[in-house]
Amino acid sequence: MKKIVYIASFLVLIISSSCTDFLDNNPRGVLSEDDVVTPQSIEGFMNAAYAQLGNDHYDSPYSLWPFGNVRSDDAYKGGSGTNDIQNFHFFEVSNNIRPDFGELDSFWYISYVGVSRVNKALKALEIIDENEYPLKERRIAEMRFLRGHFYFMLKIMYRNVPYITEDIPVEDYKLIANNALSNEALWEKIAEDFEAAAEVLPDTQSQVGRATKKAAYAYLAKTRLYQAYTQDEKYNVTGTNAAHLQQVVDASEKVIGKASLEGDFANNFLPGSYENGPESLFAIQFSDNDGTLYGRLNFSDVLSTPQGLGCCDFHKPSQNLVNAFKTDANGLPEFDTYNNDDFDYKNIDEFTVDPRLYHTVAMPGLPYKYDPEYLYVEAWVRNPGTYGYYASLKENVAPSCSCVVNIDPFYGNSKNRIQIRYADVLLFRAEALIELGRQAEALPLINEVRNRAAQSTGRLTYVTNFKINPYVDGVNCTWTQDFARKALRFERRLEFAMEGSRFFDLVRWGVTEEVMNTFYEGEKSKRSYYSDAHFDAEKEEYCPIPLAQINFSQGLYKQNSNY
């Protein structure tokens, strides 16, 4: 398999020296900024910015699996035990989360490398004449899209981060505080990048992986949705901003009809010809057999392969998540009672479920990733006594796929990772409409997602216990605003389970303390390592600002609350 890849090559520019008498002579071999700004160098700068989308690592992953899933009620850390990447265990139990964690510093650093590369490209694009480089305005829009992407991740992780653009001289970086902008103002800056990108970008790009208009509007809708939930300085959600909610509706309108859901939910998580499909609005492009040693593999998720297939059995779906896929006699979620009894993979026909369960969770006795040659067995699990027998499916591929690469002890793969898909947009729009009191308009959007789930059974020939229906007001539900809100939030959990968004959804809604401490209470009788788990509100909604960054700023950066 070979795909278009983001080229990581980058130009090393100006070497500066300090004064001695001989430097009064004009130096030879030193290039000015104007000298190196050519169409070719600009392409190199932009390739470097795109390349940074995949320049992460499993302990500082852009897929956000430790921070969005393990930190929530959706997943257990996994691995050999609680000491295996212990700092992620501390996130799992909301205990001992400290500013000196190297993983947090690494994530901050690599994200700002992305920002820096974007700003370098933007600075060069400002200099070059459009006659010399006709794609100037489009490429500026692409870079602003990427900058918005990197800042969005930084914002949901740390909340208070320094906002640096191409207009700020390097020597002034030390003057930019991480709390210089209010919560609202920082969201506005991120939204402005996506808005500017959306106005210029084309509907399609000839090169796969470049940002498009619909991707920018989708990300704009997402940003405005987060911005709409107002927070005080202690992270308490104090309400919603109707103007921002309407901006979600307006931005999502620009995407509706310009993309579509996959006919089968599974297609979003399959390699090869399924990649960059109709639902994928923006995806990180990976590759193998591309002339490099191992290819451009997804190192974010390399640890989640079951131990029986490789290494290292991290990122394990929780029993609570599996229970959430159960359905009632009407084919609807068991909103309030789903966790009263556990789904048992040894007796699956005792339960009716949403079929998305089997696309999300691998369980003993069933084919792994739809491949009948590989039956998932209990012996594949590394530490069942601690983490149970389930494994994550979406980021993984069948062992027989040519996209699997052995990078001993890991088994990486080159399947793309979708960052934002059309189902996101449908549910962003539905959420905004519900919060605006227009829940009747949200109903068909949620049902569109549910109806697609209902028809996603073609690959699941080995199970038959499906029961899922759309919501029908006055028949199987009463579609009030409160019920619609509950349905929407449950739908997001089922649709995007194990995709890195769950914890950040809880923070946006202002329900993290309630949900997580209820989850911990339910888990303490099943897994002893949760015995002291407790989520501390007004603190653990966000990661601490890395101590190394505070020290580097010479104390300019201020620590988040209560760390």
Side-chain angles (χ1 to χ4, degrees):
M1 183 172 87
K2 179 127 180 176
K3 287 184 277 192
I4 295 173
V5 193
Y6 302 134
I7 303 169
S9 49
F10 204 34
L11 298 176
V12 177
L13 300 178
I14 304 167
I15 300 175
S16 57
S17 302
S18 59
C19 39
T20 54
D21 289 342
F22 76 86
L23 289 181
D24 290 339
N25 297 319
N26 290 328
R28 291 174 293 177
V30 177
L31 302 177
S32 73
E33 192 170 57
D34 288 347
D35 289 329
V36 297
V37 174
T38 65
Q40 293 74 27
S41 65
I42 284 175
E43 289 294 329
F45 296 147
M46 289 188 301
N47 285 337
Y50 270 108
Q52 190 61 23
L53 294 169
N55 282 352
D56 55 345
H57 195 251
Y58 59 72
D59 58 1
S60 48
Y62 286 149
S63 68
L64 300 173
W65 67 266
F67 310 113
N69 299 335
V70 169
R71 200 174 170 195
S72 79
D73 51 352
D74 271 8
Y76 309 132
K77 176 183 68 68
S80 65
T82 58
N83 291 330
D84 200 352
I85 313 187
Q86 187 177 39
N87 289 346
F88 289 165
H89 167 70
F90 294 142
F91 277 109
E92 181 179 20
V93 295
S94 297
N95 265 332
N96 198 38
I97 298 171
R98 302 195 313 272
D100 61 352
F101 285 179
E103 293 85 354
L104 292 179
D105 182 53
S106 177
F107 189 93
W108 177 290
Y109 173 78
I110 64 173
S111 298
Y112 272 105
V113 169
V115 171
S116 176
R117 291 185 177 190
V118 166
N119 286 341
K120 187 72 176 179
L122 284 170
K123 193 70 175 175
L125 283 160
E126 286 176 0
I127 294 171
I128 200 165
D129 186 88
E130 194 163 3
N131 291 324
E132 185 180 2
Y133 192 68
L135 289 173
K136 174 177 178 174
E137 293 306 315
R138 180 186 297 189
R139 297 304 189 231
I140 288 174
E142 288 181 44
M143 292 300 99
R144 293 196 69 175
F145 175 92
L146 292 187
R147 186 168 67 190
H149 165 78
F150 285 117
Y151 271 122
F152 187 95
M153 286 195 298
L154 285 162
K155 182 77 175 76
I156 61 175
M157 282 281 289
Y158 304 100
R159 192 179 194 262
N160 301 309
V161 298
Y163 187 76
I164 299 168
T165 67
E166 76 279 11
D167 301 319
I168 299 173
V170 172
E171 60 268 23
D172 290 346
Y173 286 3
K174 63 181 180 292
L175 305 177
I176 309 300
N178 67 318
N179 60 355
L181 296 175
S182 67
N183 188 54
E184 164 72 14
L186 183 50
W187 277 128
E188 190 64 30
K189 290 293 186 183
I190 297 169
E192 286 172 3
D193 268 344
F194 289 125
E195 202 159 42
E199 290 173 359
V200 175
L201 287 171
D203 290 331
T204 60
Q205 295 261 31
S206 59
Q207 291 180 302
V208 174
R210 289 192 181 273
T212 63
K213 184 180 293 291
K214 57 181 177 283
Y217 275 121
Y219 238 131
L220 177 61
K222 183 177 186 179
T223 302
R224 293 299 190 189
L225 185 61
Y226 274 76
Q227 185 183 20
Y229 289 82
T230 56
Q231 287 184 349
D232 64 21
E233 288 306 304
K234 295 183 177 181
Y235 318 144
N236 299 298
V237 173
T238 56
T240 54
N241 181 301
H244 291 323
L245 291 170
Q246 184 58 49
Q247 288 172 319
V248 177
V249 176
D250 295 342
S252 60
E253 181 67 29
K254 303 289 188 179
V255 187
I256 300 296
K258 302 292 178 60
S260 63
L261 295 178
E262 287 277 6
D264 191 312
F265 181 71
N267 294 353
N268 288 301
F269 313 104
L270 292 173
S273 62
Y274 293 101
E275 294 171 295
N276 303 305
E279 190 169 339
S280 175
L281 299 177
F282 188 71
I284 311 303
Q285 307 292 307
F286 296 108
S287 68
D288 61 87
N289 295 323
D290 56 11
T292 61
L293 179 60
Y294 294 118
R296 186 132 179 94
L297 306 180
N298 175 6
F299 274 91
S300 263
D301 302 310
V302 74
L303 295 183
S304 67
T305 306
Q307 195 72 9
L309 295 175
C311 183
C312 297
D313 208 29
F314 279 77
H315 195 211
K316 309 278 284 180
S318 70
Q319 183 67 56
N320 185 286
L321 173 64
V322 171
N323 292 344
F325 285 95
K326 294 186 299 182
T327 56
D328 64 17
N330 292 315
L332 301 183
E334 298 178 352
F335 293 114
D336 301 314
T337 61
Y338 73 92
N339 206 42
N340 286 358
D341 62 306
D342 289 343
F343 178 92
D344 180 3
Y345 65 83
K346 295 179 180 179
N347 298 288
I348 62 175
D349 289 331
E350 294 182 6
F351 309 87
T352 57
V353 299
D354 184 316
R356 285 173 291 192
L357 170 63
Y358 299 118
H359 298 296
T360 305
V361 180
M363 56 187 69
L366 301 181
Y368 181 79
K369 205 67 181 184
Y370 323 114
D371 190 337
E373 297 298 316
Y374 292 90
L375 196 68
Y376 186 89
V377 295
E378 292 181 348
W380 286 5
V381 180
R382 189 175 182 185
N383 188 343
T386 303
Y387 299 115
Y389 286 97
Y390 299 122
S392 182
L393 278 176
K394 287 181 177 179
E395 70 273 37
N396 284 309
V397 298
S400 56
C401 181
S402 61
C403 61
V404 174
V405 180
N406 183 354
I407 43 174
D408 190 53
F410 308 118
Y411 283 76
N413 72 73
S414 59
K415 177 170 66 71
N416 289 355
R417 183 174 68 248
I418 299 176
Q419 289 296 118
I420 193 163
R421 52 190 175 92
Y422 189 61
D424 274 301
V425 177
L426 293 175
L427 295 186
F428 294 155
R429 183 178 178 86
E431 185 174 336
L433 289 168
I434 290 166
E435 296 306 321
L436 286 168
R438 296 158 57 183
Q439 58 270 11
E441 297 174 62
L443 178 58
L445 299 171
I446 295 172
N447 279 341
E448 186 173 348
V449 175
R450 289 187 65 77
N451 288 336
R452 190 273 297 276
Q455 68 188 35
S456 300
T457 60
R459 289 181 175 83
L460 305 176
T461 55
Y462 38 85
V463 283
T464 59
N465 62 327
F466 313 122
K467 191 177 184 66
I468 177 173
N469 288 312
Y471 296 100
V472 183
D473 188 22
V475 177
N476 59 12
C477 68
T478 302
W479 196 255
T480 62
Q481 186 185 40
D482 285 344
F483 184 88
R485 183 181 291 120
K486 182 183 291 189
L488 177 281
R489 293 180 179 184
F490 220 93
E491 200 66 28
R492 274 203 61 83
R493 187 182 191 190
L494 301 178
E495 178 72 14
F496 300 105
M498 307 299 283
E499 293 183 50
S501 64
R502 173 64 173 171
F503 182 83
F504 306 111
D505 284 345
L506 298 178
V507 173
R508 181 174 78 254
W509 299 326
V511 300
T512 325
E513 179 183 23
E514 173 190 352
V515 170
M516 290 309 300
N517 286 331
T518 298
F519 168 70
Y520 290 149
E521 283 302 312
E523 288 292 316
K524 287 177 181 179
S525 62
K526 302 173 185 177
R527 288 171 174 79
S528 60
Y529 70 83
Y530 278 113
S531 59
D532 295 323
H534 181 80
F535 182 85
D536 295 311
E538 301 183 355
K539 174 184 179 181
E540 290 164 350
E541 289 88 347
Y542 294 93
C543 298
I545 306 302
L547 181 61
Q549 299 302 323
I550 292 176
N551 292 340
F552 183 76
S553 76
Q554 298 183 334
L556 178 66
Y557 297 167
K558 302 306 178 186
Q559 187 53 269
N560 285 335
S561 296
N562 295 314
Y563 283 108

